[in-house]
Amino acid sequence: MTGTGRRPRGGPPRPLGVVTRGTTNPNRLRRVDNWIAVHCADLLRAAPDPLVVDLGYGATPVTAVELRARLARTVPNVRVVGLEIDPARVAAAAYAADPPGLTFARGGFELAGLRPVLVRAFNVLRQYDEGQVRAAWETITDALAPDGVLVEGTCDELGRLASWLLLDRAGPHTLTLAARLATLDTPATLAERLPKALIHHNVPGQPVHAFITALDDAWQAAAPYATFGPRQRWVRAVTAVRDAGWPVRDRPKRWRLGEVTVPWAAVAPL
C-alpha cells in the first residue's frame, strides 16, 4: 500500500493502495453478486442512502455495471460507485456511468471519502502480501457507514471458482466457497482461490485445510449421487460435512447453487 491517507488541504483523500492488474470478464463476479443481493439486501434497504462501492473494478467497468443491475432488482434505489486508483481507468469508465445509480471515481482503500453501506473488493488483496491484509481491512471498514460491511475475496478468470469473506469493523464473520458445479472436478481446487488471509494457511494442521479436506472427502463419498446431477452430489457432500460437525450456514436452497458458508471462527488461522 502507498500513501498516508492524509487529506490534502482543499482536496480529496489521497488514494491508498496500488494499481491492480485489472483483469476482468463479464459475469466473472456473478456468484458473489447474487450472494450479496440475498444476504445484504435487508441492510441496503434499511439504509437512508444504500451506497455500494465496487473497489478496484479493473481495466473495464463491467463488474460495476453488473453489480448495480443485480442489486437494483431487490434494492431499486441502490447507488454503486466504482473506485479505481488509476485515473485512466476512471476516465475510460465514463461511458458506462448512469448517474445517480452508477458513477465512477478515483479512490483506494480510503474509499475516496465516501461512507458506503457495502464495499465489494474482489481480486484486489490477492496481489498484496498477507501481512498487509489486516491493515487494508481496517482502512476500508473504518470508512464504512455505521453497520456497513465489506465483502472481500477472489475468483478465477471466468468466475467458476470463488471465495469471499464478510467483514465489518469487528473483523471477519463468514467464509463462503462457491463453484460452478457443472465444471467442478473436486472441491480441493477451491483452495487455489481462497482469500489472501487464508490461502497460505491451507496446510495440514490449519482449520481451513481441515474444512476443505472434509468437503473434498464428502464430495468423493457422494460420487454415486452424480447420477442425479452435480447439484445433488454437492448438496449431499455439504450435508455430510454439516452432519460431521462443521457449522455450515444457510439451507439446501443456497447449497444447490454451489455455495457453502461457514463462520470465520471455524476456519481462522491458528
Side-chain angles (χ1 to χ4, degrees):
M1 286 174 284
T2 60
T4 64
R6 294 191 180 94
R7 183 187 297 270
R9 184 172 298 176
R14 182 179 301 155
L16 287 175
V18 296
V19 177
T20 64
R21 287 183 289 273
T23 304
T24 190
N25 283 300
N27 280 323
R28 188 183 187 191
L29 304 185
R30 62 194 178 280
R31 302 188 190 286
V32 66
D33 287 356
N34 292 333
W35 186 91
I36 290 171
V38 170
H39 288 82
C40 301
D42 288 345
L43 175 67
L44 292 170
R45 282 193 289 260
D49 179 16
L51 174 62
V52 174
V53 163
D54 183 10
L55 181 61
Y57 56 83
T60 69
V62 63
T63 60
V65 173
E66 293 173 343
L67 178 61
R68 188 270 187 101
R70 288 167 181 146
L71 294 184
R73 295 168 190 160
T74 55
V75 188
N77 62 331
V78 69
R79 293 198 300 127
V80 173
V81 177
L83 287 185
E84 261 292 344
I85 289 181
D86 184 354
R89 292 180 182 174
V90 177
Y95 77 92
D98 184 18
L102 178 62
T103 56
F104 298 89
R106 187 171 183 240
F109 296 148
E110 82 302 329
L111 305 184
L114 301 172
R115 299 288 281 179
V117 179
L118 185 146
V119 172
R120 185 194 64 188
F122 242 67
N123 302 307
V124 173
L125 294 181
R126 189 173 179 85
Q127 68 183 35
Y128 287 82
D129 292 334
E130 184 183 350
Q132 297 174 294
V133 169
R134 285 278 176 178
W137 285 353
E138 291 173 3
T139 301
I140 295 169
T141 57
D142 283 350
L144 292 171
D147 300 321
V149 296
L150 164 65
V151 178
E152 187 268 306
T154 187
C155 66
D156 67 354
E157 287 73 13
L158 298 178
R160 293 176 177 177
L161 301 171
S163 69
W164 56 86
L165 300 170
L166 178 69
L167 311 94
D168 60 16
R169 286 185 176 88
H173 288 273
T174 60
L175 167 71
T176 299
L177 305 178
R180 184 176 186 268
L181 297 179
T183 58
L184 181 66
D185 178 28
T186 168
T189 59
L190 284 160
E192 302 169 3
R193 299 298 165 175
L194 285 170
K196 191 69 174 190
L198 289 173
I199 194 166
H200 299 304
H201 297 276
N202 183 41
V203 294
Q206 287 287 349
V208 70
H209 180 269
F211 175 61
I212 291 178
T213 299
L215 185 61
D216 197 60
D217 289 346
W219 174 260
Q220 303 307 328
Y225 287 81
T227 301
F228 307 104
R231 287 187 177 184
Q232 290 302 317
R233 184 179 181 182
W234 178 264
V235 169
R236 178 64 180 178
V238 174
T239 300
V241 167
R242 182 199 61 187
D243 292 347
W246 288 94
V248 174
R249 298 280 183 90
D250 295 325
R251 311 296 294 176
K253 180 179 179 180
R254 298 302 307 177
W255 305 346
R256 281 192 289 269
L257 300 176
E259 295 176 4
V260 59
T261 298
V262 292
W264 169 254
V267 293
L270 298 177

